[in-house]
């Protein structure tokens, strides 16, 4: 009996091509909702002003230094962490409104849908990051260690954001409808706040500091401060994730991809049965 299944290379090429098509679909959807784009781009700038000027005067940076320079890496980490929330709501909305069922009726690679969603989130995340960088430069933040460490810091953000977007794919498929997904969005803020993104963890109670030190947001914030040369880099007796923040971000990224890419693909294929 002849095996009519296309070779692996061709299937991967179809998945990649169809995924790019769905990336374009997501970007086109955003163009039809300019208010959503404006809100997504204004939010980072508002956070810089709110935390940098309203709260900044009351917070002391370890070893001195300007609080806004301490803050910006934390805000970069916060925007990075938001990846899973946006992907979660879009996946849940498409699933509950029958969009995925229509995709399955079309001659396209099924796995292109989650790959398209994560790819589109990466592009929109880069736009948000660009706005925040521009705002940070306007309020006095800047990297001090040169081009290569600066590029490495932003690359870490891109890698972790992509890994987190797969968490959003899985959770969006698991919650089954967009109302539940929307209700879960506010839960992202406490997770971000429980970190060193806005304040040092030294003054926290022991159990709370442990959670904050092992938070991926803390690892990314500490790694960015180290690579940018901004104040607040950990020193002295600190937890292992903050002593080796770059390694920790890579470990978090690899772990999330290893766990949630297979889970997401299996959950998506099961919805079609």
């Amino acid at each position: 009996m002849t095996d009519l299944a296309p070779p692996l290379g061709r299937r991967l090429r179809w998945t990649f091509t169809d995924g790019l098509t769905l990336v374009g679909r997501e970007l086109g959807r955003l163009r039809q909702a300019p208010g959503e784009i404006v809100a997504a781009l204004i939010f980072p700038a508002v956070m810089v002003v709110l935390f940098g000027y309203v709260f900044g005067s009351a917070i002391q940076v370890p070893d001195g230094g300007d609080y806004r320079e301490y803050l910006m890496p934390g805000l970069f980490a916060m925007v990075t962490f938001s990846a899973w929330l946006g992907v979660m709501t879009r996946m849940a909305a498409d699933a509950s409104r029958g969009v995925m069922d229509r995709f399955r009726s079309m001659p396209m690679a099924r796995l292109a849908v989650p790959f398209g969603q994560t790819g589109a989130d990466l592009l929109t995340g880069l736009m948000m990051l660009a706005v925040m960088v521009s705002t940070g430069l306007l309020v006095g933040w800047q990297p001090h260690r040169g081009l290569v460490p600066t590029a490495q810091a932003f690359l870490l953000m891109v890698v972790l954001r992509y890994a987190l977007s797969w968490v959003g794919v899985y959770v969006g498929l698991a919650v089954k409808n967009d109302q539940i997904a929307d209700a879960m969005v506010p839960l992202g803020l406490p997770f971000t706040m429980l970190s060193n993104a806005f304040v040092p963890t030294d003054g926290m109670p022991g159990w709370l500091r442990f959670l904050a030190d092992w938070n991926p947001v803390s690892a990314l914030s500490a790694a960015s401060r180290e690579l940018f040369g901004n104040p607040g880099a950990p020193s002295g007796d600190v937890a292992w994730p903050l002593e080796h923040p770059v390694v920790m971000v890579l470990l978090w990224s690899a772990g999330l991809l290893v766990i949630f890419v297979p889970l997401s693909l299996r959950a998506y294929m099961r919805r079609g049965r």
Side-chain angles (χ1 to χ4, degrees):
M1 183 176 181
T2 304
D3 186 3
L4 297 179
L8 177 61
R10 187 181 301 174
R11 294 201 301 271
L12 292 175
R13 188 162 58 250
W14 287 345
T15 300
F16 179 75
T17 303
D18 291 343
L20 288 179
T21 301
L22 291 177
V23 169
R25 175 236 179 198
E26 287 300 316
L27 297 179
R29 185 186 64 82
L30 288 174
R31 284 197 299 269
Q32 296 173 3
E36 186 175 341
I37 299 177
V38 172
L41 296 181
I42 288 179
F43 176 73
V46 171
M47 296 300 291
V48 173
V49 174
L50 177 64
F51 284 96
Y53 289 97
V54 177
F55 299 148
S57 59
I59 299 175
Q60 297 296 320
V61 178
D63 301 323
D66 183 75
Y67 177 70
R68 286 187 292 277
E69 287 223 323
Y70 174 87
L71 172 69
M72 288 308 303
L75 291 179
F76 293 149
M78 182 192 72
V79 170
T80 299
F81 180 77
S82 69
W84 77 276
L85 298 171
V87 175
M88 173 189 68
T89 55
R90 290 193 296 272
M91 288 295 293
D94 283 351
S96 62
R97 296 170 186 172
V99 175
M100 290 186 184
D101 293 333
R102 291 197 293 271
F103 283 152
R104 291 189 182 95
S105 67
M106 300 169 64
M108 61 182 295
R110 290 191 174 187
L111 299 184
V113 174
F115 280 109
Q117 286 281 3
T118 54
D121 176 79
L122 197 58
L123 293 178
T124 56
L126 289 174
M127 290 190 291
M128 294 176 65
L129 190 60
V131 172
M132 182 163 280
V133 169
S134 301
T135 308
L137 293 172
L138 289 175
V139 301
W141 168 83
Q142 61 178 318
H144 300 284
R145 293 190 56 195
L147 180 61
V148 173
T150 299
Q152 290 173 339
F154 287 121
L155 182 60
L156 284 178
M157 297 175 200
V158 170
V159 171
L160 183 58
R161 183 178 185 97
Y162 187 71
L164 285 165
S165 67
W166 282 97
V167 179
V169 171
Y170 177 72
V171 177
L173 291 170
V175 298
K176 301 184 185 303
N177 67 72
D178 50 345
Q179 288 84 7
I180 298 177
D182 289 338
M184 292 179 63
V185 169
L187 298 178
L189 183 60
F191 195 93
T192 305
M193 300 296 292
L194 184 58
S195 69
N196 65 0
F198 305 105
V199 296
T201 61
D202 299 349
M204 298 180 181
W207 64 273
L208 196 62
R209 181 179 179 181
F210 175 83
L211 296 177
D213 288 344
W214 284 86
N215 188 333
V217 177
S218 293
L220 183 58
S221 300
S224 300
R225 290 178 183 125
E226 178 181 306
L227 292 169
F228 290 143
N230 293 148
S235 59
D237 185 17
V238 297
W240 191 92
L242 301 186
E243 187 177 0
H244 308 279
V246 175
V247 175
M248 195 64 197
V249 172
L250 295 175
L251 289 175
W252 268 111
S253 302
L256 291 173
L257 288 171
V258 168
I259 294 172
F260 284 97
V261 170
L263 285 177
S264 299
L265 297 181
R266 184 166 58 182
Y268 178 75
M269 296 300 291
R270 282 181 174 176
R271 289 190 71 96
R273 297 176 182 176

